[in-house]
Amino acid sequence: MRYLLVCSWLILLALSVVRPAIAQSLSDASLPLLRDYAIDHWTTRDGLPHNAIRSIAQTPDKHLWFGTWEGLVSYNGLDFTVYDRSSRPPLLDNGIGAVYVDPRGALWMSDSRGNISCLQAGGQWRFWPAPAGTAQMLVQSMQMDRRGRLWLLYEGNGLGYLDSAGHLHYQRPAPGSPLATVYSHMVITPDGRVWAGSYDGLVYLDPDGSAHRLQTGAGLQHGLVWPYLAPDGTMWVVAGDRLYRMHSDGPELIYTLSGAGQITALLQDRQSSLWVGTENQGMLRIHGHQIEALHRNASLSAGRIVSLLEDAEGSIWIGSNGGLFRLRHTLFSNYTQHDGLSNNYVRAVFEDHRGRLWIGHAGGLDMVEGVGHIHPVSLATSTGAQPEVYSLDEDAQGTIWVGTFHDGVYAIDPQWNIRHFGTQEGLPAGNVRAISVGPDGRVWVGTQRGVVWIAGSQIHRPQVPGLPDGLVTALHSSTDGVWIGTLQGAWWLHGQQLQRIKLDTPGGGRTVFGFVTRPDGTTWISSDRGLYRYRAGQLRRVGLEHGLPVDSVFQWVEDHLGNVWINSNRGLLRTRLADLNAAIDQGTPIHPERYDEMNGMASSQGNGSSSPDIILRRDGTIALATAGGVAMVDPARLPAERALPPPPVIIEKLELNGINRRLPGPGQVLRISGHRQLAVTYVGLSYLLSERIEYRTRLDGLDGQWVDRGHQHSVEYIGLPPGDYVLHVSAAHPDGPWSTHEAVLRFTILPLWWQRTSVRLACGLLLIVVALIIYRFMVNQYKRSNARLAREVAERTRDLQLQAEQLLAANHEKSLLLTQLQLQSESFERQAREDALTGLPNRRAFDELLTRDVERMRRHGSPLCLVMLDIDHFKAVNDQHSHQTGDAVLREVGRLLRRECRVSDVAARLGGEEFAIILSSATIDDARRLLQRLRDAFRQNSGWLGIADLNITFSAGVAQMSPDRMDCDDLLRRADEALYRAKHGGRDRVCEG
């Protein structure tokens, strides 16, 4: 319903344009669609003192300034700094009315009590308290004329001005004067007229001081009317939902924005587009005669927009009563629920031969035609709810194949006839995470019970021994066979030959997320341990140790420019195929670039174990499935995005021995004496990629070259020797050029008293005298030593005899120490095989004992059972009662396992809340009885650890080794699958495998 209302509102807006003209396309490359802007939002949770942003300004040093009801706020891209009545120096009042930057770069500020403040370019504050007799009311707007007079608009109390000498001029308007109802927004036109908005039409003040009201006969309505002077010199007049352009002969109605409500803010950007803020209908943009509405952010649409600013980098800042917003150009655009997508949790994305985009998600299936025309696709189910779609593909006839979570497979032919394949047709129940149409037309389906293929209306299972019969997570059919990915690795089926690709040897990979086969016969495998390359029978890997920033990587595609785009849970990665091969073949580190929400992605969390989760479209763009919709990127835009100019750098703070010091002015030198620690904080003033700005410093007098500081925006020096120093700070965007205009700090370290030349000469003379005295003393000491030598020889002989006896005693102590070390070594060996928390054998001991018991069964034929046991909802125990309580629960579980198990049984903790029990010489009935005893013991332990509402249960899977399947891995797999069924069957139960 909301989507329909928004569409209807947009249609009304488009039809309400008064002056018809030829439509100017908004798809021009120089003007991105409004929906492609990224929206950033800050509130009091992010450091703002108040959520109502009344005024926005940017000073020449690129700092942004925001006026709020709780003080003035400065923003450097990383941190908000608040100035209020508790600052030093304190402001006169916290309620900021207007913030204005004059032509000289000084920042002016008004407040709710009529006070005026100014932060000059050198960092000095000046204050003008409202004199007695003036209107101590909120100053809504400020403007400076060509004579240097700062005009002030007092809400409902007329106008005043502060002259260039700093004297305030004000006269309360007489009753009936047009100035008596002024409200907000003031502009000064080149002819010297001061225009102001009022509750009773537009008023203006002539250079001679006479006040007038613009006649309503000029086309303006009664009520609140206010002016806006655009950068190109056009004066716009706002009246309700109408926009007028002012001419010499009066205002001309240009736009009527029916349905937009009251217009509260207006901005013309550098592309001559008009940005329109409204009372409670969000933002509009007008370019030529095309109108777009920004409706993706609910909090922006629900609040009043008070102020607008385009910063030096082209971003649009929006001040509202719901916080601060920013619209910025990004590399990515998105399809989300705000654009009509049925659900944001996207699992698969696919482009058919007609260029239509198919999107499978947690709420079903959508199809996108053209530019953003999203159509839901209804798929019939037994419950009536739309199925969760996990996989998509298209066959040669144009039929779209759809795999779902638990509703089987759907086939949608070009005539929109929909067939369904479920358990009644022979399809195994469970997930269908992968579908791949082969060159021969077979539709391969990866199910929860292995792979099948569909031909016509028949479902077939390959009759090849050894095929995996568990969950299939990835599938790819090509001319050289079918690649199958599971939770246990990869298989390659070519003809009737099956080859297992073991990923655990190089790097420990297990779960496979995707395959890419290349014309040279190379197959790339995406896994939970990086990327594997299979070529000519050799398997090689590139992972964390080579520079990949994440372990689990999903599917990837290569664009037309040679970039490889890799989907992951932590953003989209970009590198080159040559770099991946070099990392594998020569061990060369790779440096992938990672993209996330900062680059415009609605969500950086990709979705694996579904397919395809990333595609290269026919137009060269990339589309990928994320937890926040479909993210799209055009690689051709990379050069423009990377061509950001280097950010200007400023030094923000200086600390000596942990105490803030005032920064020196331009050209001044800071003189420092008696210091131990010097800390300098700096920042690059860019608001596009603030957290990714890179810095480097050079301290003339110490450093011979630049020192890279990464993203660190502070540097610290301790114990610098006396001398003259110049600190240079430079900044750059990622992979961009370094700024040529560095921040510079000049300072001199004055010598301490002991570092002075006179003190050092005196100390040198003193050292010579002391050396002579020591020399004479040493000569006399030598003579006395010769006299003692004879006596010491006899004493040394006796000492040697005593030492021999001591050596014998030491030898005995050595033997005792060796015995002690042997005992300690045995203790360490025991600890290496024992879980420190529960005292049970750990995973290492468990693996050795299981291998031992399996070998014993093979020799003697005695029965053997394995139990895999998992504590139910253990994460909730940690979350609700603390991790200490969770550890106590694990120790209690270990105690119960030792008590209930037989002496011959082995209970072990595998990790976390997972345990295992090896029952040697035991049948499945013995295992059932043991588990029943355990369940009784758990229930009798009601109110664990004395906590009344703490009840612990477990889920378990049990498997018995049969004589024809004496394999540890098989036994573990069956027990683990049984545990999986127990957990997903409702928990607190036992399943057998």
Side-chain angles (χ1 to χ4, degrees):
M1 178 64 69
R2 176 182 294 180
Y3 177 74
L4 293 176
L5 288 174
V6 170
C7 291
S8 301
W9 182 58
L10 290 175
I11 294 172
L12 287 174
L13 287 174
L15 293 175
S16 64
V17 177
V18 172
R19 293 182 63 191
I22 299 176
Q24 180 174 343
S25 174
L26 285 174
S27 61
D28 191 294
S30 63
L31 188 68
L33 295 171
L34 195 56
R35 59 174 297 275
D36 290 339
Y37 280 80
I39 305 177
D40 302 306
H41 185 200
W42 295 269
T43 65
T44 52
R45 294 182 179 182
D46 307 294
L48 287 172
H50 196 275
N51 282 336
I53 310 299
R54 298 185 48 78
S55 186
I56 309 175
Q58 186 172 31
T59 45
D61 64 1
K62 302 302 186 292
H63 269 104
L64 285 170
W65 299 85
F66 311 111
T68 77
W69 283 122
E70 291 297 334
L72 178 69
V73 182
S74 172
Y75 185 50
N76 62 11
L78 297 174
D79 304 299
F80 293 103
T81 302
V82 180
Y83 299 85
D84 54 20
R85 295 185 65 243
S86 63
S87 304
R88 292 293 178 268
L91 298 186
L92 300 177
D93 188 69
N94 285 351
I96 307 302
V99 179
Y100 170 71
V101 178
D102 69 20
R104 295 167 295 185
L107 178 72
W108 295 85
M109 179 191 69
S110 64
D111 61 40
S112 61
R113 296 175 181 263
N115 306 305
I116 305 299
S117 306
C118 178
L119 179 60
Q120 298 172 332
Q124 300 295 321
W125 282 95
R126 289 192 64 188
F127 301 98
W128 288 267
T134 62
Q136 296 186 2
M137 298 289 291
L138 176 66
V139 175
Q140 286 274 24
S141 181
M142 296 185 291
Q143 290 288 322
M144 184 171 285
D145 63 18
R146 294 181 178 180
R147 296 167 55 184
R149 296 180 298 179
L150 183 71
W151 286 87
L152 312 172
L153 186 153
Y154 295 91
E155 180 180 345
N157 284 272
L159 303 176
Y161 67 88
L162 189 70
D163 64 25
S164 57
H167 300 116
L168 183 63
H169 301 263
Y170 172 77
Q171 184 174 1
R172 190 179 299 273
S177 169
L179 300 179
T181 60
V182 293
Y183 171 64
S184 67
H185 299 86
M186 174 175 57
V187 301
I188 302 176
T189 51
D191 58 5
R193 278 185 174 178
V194 180
W195 296 81
S198 82
Y199 285 111
D200 194 18
L202 192 65
V203 301
Y204 61 92
L205 190 69
D206 276 331
D208 61 6
S210 58
H212 309 273
R213 179 177 290 109
L214 192 67
Q215 296 300 318
T216 56
L220 291 176
Q221 60 188 23
H222 289 283
L224 178 59
V225 180
W226 53 271
Y228 168 72
L229 188 62
D232 64 1
T234 302
M235 180 172 162
W236 294 88
V237 179
V238 178
D241 60 356
R242 298 183 178 186
L243 289 177
Y244 296 81
R245 181 184 290 124
M246 182 65 76
H247 299 287
S248 58
D249 54 350
E252 177 191 8
L253 179 63
I254 303 299
Y255 300 106
T256 299
L257 305 179
S258 300
Q262 184 72 41
I263 298 173
T264 55
L266 196 63
L267 170 72
Q268 184 188 70
D269 65 16
R270 63 192 62 180
Q271 294 175 312
S272 298
S273 297
L274 280 177
W275 296 81
V276 181
T278 67
E279 182 73 28
N280 52 24
Q281 297 297 324
M283 283 289 301
L284 304 175
R285 184 179 66 175
I286 305 173
H287 190 82
H289 296 282
Q290 291 290 322
I291 302 175
E292 287 182 287
L294 182 69
H295 57 84
R296 296 193 306 172
N297 193 295
S299 56
L300 179 60
S301 300
R304 181 173 186 245
I305 295 174
V306 183
S307 51
L308 296 171
L309 174 79
E310 182 183 26
D311 68 14
E313 295 173 309
S315 296
I316 306 298
W317 294 83
I318 304 170
S320 76
N321 58 14
L324 175 67
F325 296 83
R326 174 180 61 179
L327 307 182
R328 57 186 170 91
H329 300 283
T330 61
L331 187 61
F332 286 79
S333 59
N334 303 273
Y335 283 133
T336 68
Q337 286 180 283
H338 292 295
D339 306 298
L341 201 63
S342 301
N343 191 285
N344 275 345
Y345 200 81
V346 177
R347 283 289 193 175
V349 57
F350 179 79
E351 184 181 37
D352 64 17
H353 72 284
R354 295 171 54 184
R356 299 177 299 182
L357 196 65
W358 297 79
I359 302 172
H361 45 68
L365 179 66
D366 287 336
M367 188 265 289
V368 185
E369 284 186 305
V371 183
H373 303 295
I374 301 177
H375 308 282
V377 179
S378 180
L379 300 174
T381 64
S382 59
T383 64
Q386 288 300 296
E388 184 171 359
V389 174
Y390 268 44
S391 51
L392 296 164
D393 204 354
E394 181 184 25
D395 63 20
Q397 288 73 40
T399 297
I400 302 298
W401 293 85
V402 183
T404 69
F405 178 63
H406 58 75
D407 290 284
V409 173
Y410 296 83
I412 307 172
D413 68 18
Q415 288 74 41
W416 287 94
N417 300 309
I418 302 177
R419 290 182 295 160
H420 178 247
F421 298 86
T423 53
Q424 294 182 351
E425 289 76 22
L427 188 73
N431 304 346
V432 178
R433 295 178 176 267
I435 293 180
S436 180
V437 179
D440 58 357
R442 289 185 179 182
V443 179
W444 290 87
V445 180
T447 76
Q448 201 157 347
R449 294 291 180 269
V451 294
V452 298
W453 55 276
I454 302 175
S457 60
Q458 300 297 316
I459 297 176
H460 309 269
R461 183 179 292 275
Q463 301 301 313
V464 178
L467 270 176
D469 56 0
L471 177 65
V472 175
T473 55
L475 199 60
H476 178 67
S477 177
S478 62
T479 55
D480 62 349
V482 180
W483 290 85
I484 306 168
T486 73
L487 299 174
Q488 304 296 328
W491 278 260
W492 179 25
L493 176 63
H494 41 105
Q496 292 299 307
Q497 301 297 318
L498 181 67
Q499 180 180 353
R500 182 174 182 181
I501 311 298
K502 295 185 176 181
L503 306 181
D504 52 355
T505 302
R510 287 173 59 89
T511 303
V512 174
F513 297 112
F515 300 96
V516 173
T517 58
R518 297 185 55 76
D520 61 359
T522 301
T523 296
W524 290 83
I525 305 172
S526 307
S527 79
D528 59 349
R529 286 295 183 270
L531 288 170
Y532 288 82
R533 187 190 68 187
Y534 185 77
R535 178 192 292 170
Q538 291 187 341
L539 187 67
R540 305 288 295 276
R541 170 182 167 275
V542 55
L544 285 176
E545 63 272 24
H546 300 97
L548 274 181
V550 293
D551 257 332
S552 295
V553 291
F554 305 146
Q555 299 173 18
W556 61 271
V557 294
E558 185 177 10
D559 64 24
H560 301 315
L561 304 176
N563 299 298
V564 170
W565 301 81
I566 309 171
N567 200 6
S568 81
N569 266 331
R570 293 166 60 189
L572 184 63
L573 311 178
R574 183 183 64 83
T575 184
R576 312 280 293 186
L577 186 60
D579 295 339
L580 293 176
N581 283 313
I584 290 176
D585 297 329
Q586 291 95 36
T588 306
I590 60 174
H591 304 283
E593 190 163 349
R594 180 161 58 185
Y595 303 93
D596 52 24
E597 288 87 352
M598 190 180 301
N599 303 99
M601 297 178 67
S603 171
S604 61
Q605 177 187 327
N607 279 326
S609 296
S610 54
S611 65
D613 57 56
I614 185 170
I615 60 170
L616 174 66
R617 303 191 67 182
R618 293 188 302 175
D619 61 3
T621 60
I622 306 292
L624 65 146
T626 77
V630 176
M632 294 164 290
V633 57
D634 185 356
R637 292 175 54 191
L638 272 173
E641 290 290 328
R642 298 164 66 90
L644 292 174
V649 190
I650 64 167
I651 294 176
E652 286 201 321
K653 187 168 65 173
L654 176 67
E655 291 184 358
L656 291 176
N657 298 328
I659 301 175
N660 287 338
R661 286 285 301 270
R662 183 176 176 181
L663 291 169
Q668 295 181 343
V669 178
L670 179 67
R671 296 172 65 84
I672 304 172
S673 61
H675 92 287
R676 295 288 181 183
Q677 182 182 34
L678 170 65
V680 181
T681 302
Y682 44 81
V683 66
L685 289 177
S686 172
Y687 303 93
L688 295 177
L689 298 170
S690 304
E691 291 85 354
R692 296 185 182 178
I693 293 176
E694 298 175 351
Y695 299 94
R696 63 178 183 177
T697 65
R698 187 184 75 243
L699 183 60
D700 294 345
L702 179 67
D703 301 324
Q705 56 187 3
W706 288 99
V707 178
D708 290 330
R709 301 292 178 182
H711 303 307
Q712 175 184 345
H713 51 93
S714 65
V715 64
E716 185 175 305
Y717 299 100
I718 299 176
L720 286 174
D724 297 326
Y725 297 92
V726 181
L727 176 64
H728 301 264
V729 184
S730 182
H733 287 296
D735 298 325
W738 291 99
S739 54
T740 55
H741 299 287
E742 306 102 5
V744 176
L745 174 65
R746 304 178 187 274
F747 62 94
T748 297
I749 303 294
L750 301 176
L752 301 174
W753 66 267
W754 50 267
Q755 293 175 319
R756 298 171 185 169
T757 304
S758 58
V759 174
R760 291 184 176 182
L761 288 174
C763 290
L765 292 174
L766 181 60
L767 287 175
I768 293 173
V769 173
V770 172
L772 289 173
I773 294 173
I774 294 174
Y775 172 74
R776 294 298 301 271
F777 175 78
M778 293 298 294
V779 169
N780 294 333
Q781 187 71 14
Y782 174 73
K783 292 178 180 179
R784 288 192 296 270
S785 296
N786 284 337
R788 290 196 305 267
L789 184 58
R791 295 192 303 271
E792 290 180 357
V793 170
E795 293 175 359
R796 291 294 178 86
T797 302
R798 291 192 299 271
D799 291 340
L800 288 174
Q801 293 175 349
L802 181 59
Q803 289 178 8
E805 295 173 358
Q806 291 174 346
L807 286 174
L808 291 174
N811 186 50
H812 179 66
E813 292 177 358
K814 178 181 177 182
S815 299
L816 294 176
L817 180 61
L818 288 174
T819 302
Q820 195 174 26
L821 287 174
Q822 184 176 0
L823 294 175
Q824 193 173 19
S825 175
E826 293 173 356
S827 175
F828 287 162
E829 176 64 17
R830 183 174 65 258
Q831 293 177 7
R833 297 165 52 81
E834 183 178 282
D835 178 57
L837 182 62
T838 62
L840 297 177
N842 60 15
R843 181 59 185 256
R844 174 183 174 186
F846 167 80
D847 290 338
E848 294 175 358
L849 292 170
L850 179 62
T851 302
R852 181 201 67 186
D853 287 351
V854 170
E855 291 298 325
R856 184 182 297 165
M857 176 186 176
R858 290 173 177 167
R859 292 195 303 268
H860 303 292
S862 56
L864 176 67
C865 287
L866 176 62
V867 176
M868 302 294 286
L869 184 145
D870 195 283
I871 305 303
D872 294 332
H873 307 295
F874 185 72
K875 183 177 183 300
V877 175
N878 284 331
D879 293 341
Q880 298 173 10
H881 300 281
S882 80
H883 287 275
Q884 290 83 355
T885 302
D887 291 344
V889 167
L890 292 177
R891 284 193 292 270
E892 181 64 11
V893 171
R895 186 187 69 79
L896 292 176
L897 290 178
R898 285 193 297 272
R899 189 185 76 183
E900 300 299 332
C901 288
R902 304 174 305 173
V903 175
S904 60
D905 297 337
V906 176
R909 182 187 177 200
L910 303 186
E913 66 271 27
E914 187 175 1
F915 297 80
I917 306 173
I918 304 172
L919 292 86
S920 59
S921 301
T923 66
I924 197 71
D925 292 331
D926 297 328
R928 296 189 191 108
R929 287 191 289 272
L930 169 62
L931 289 171
Q932 186 58 45
R933 292 199 304 274
L934 278 174
R935 295 184 71 184
D936 294 339
F938 271 53
R939 293 192 181 97
Q940 294 168 6
N941 213 14
S942 177
W944 284 52
L945 309 178
I947 302 173
D949 61 341
L950 181 59
N951 296 307
I952 304 301
T953 61
F954 67 85
S955 302
V958 59
Q960 180 177 355
M961 179 169 283
S962 58
D964 58 337
R965 299 171 72 179
M966 296 185 182
D967 181 75
C968 287
D969 292 340
D970 179 74
L971 182 62
L972 281 166
R973 180 186 59 77
R974 289 189 289 117
D976 194 62
E977 290 179 351
L979 173 59
Y980 178 86
R981 293 196 303 275
K983 290 167 66 178
H984 289 268
R987 302 183 184 269
D988 190 18
R989 63 187 61 204
V990 177
C991 293
E992 296 176 8

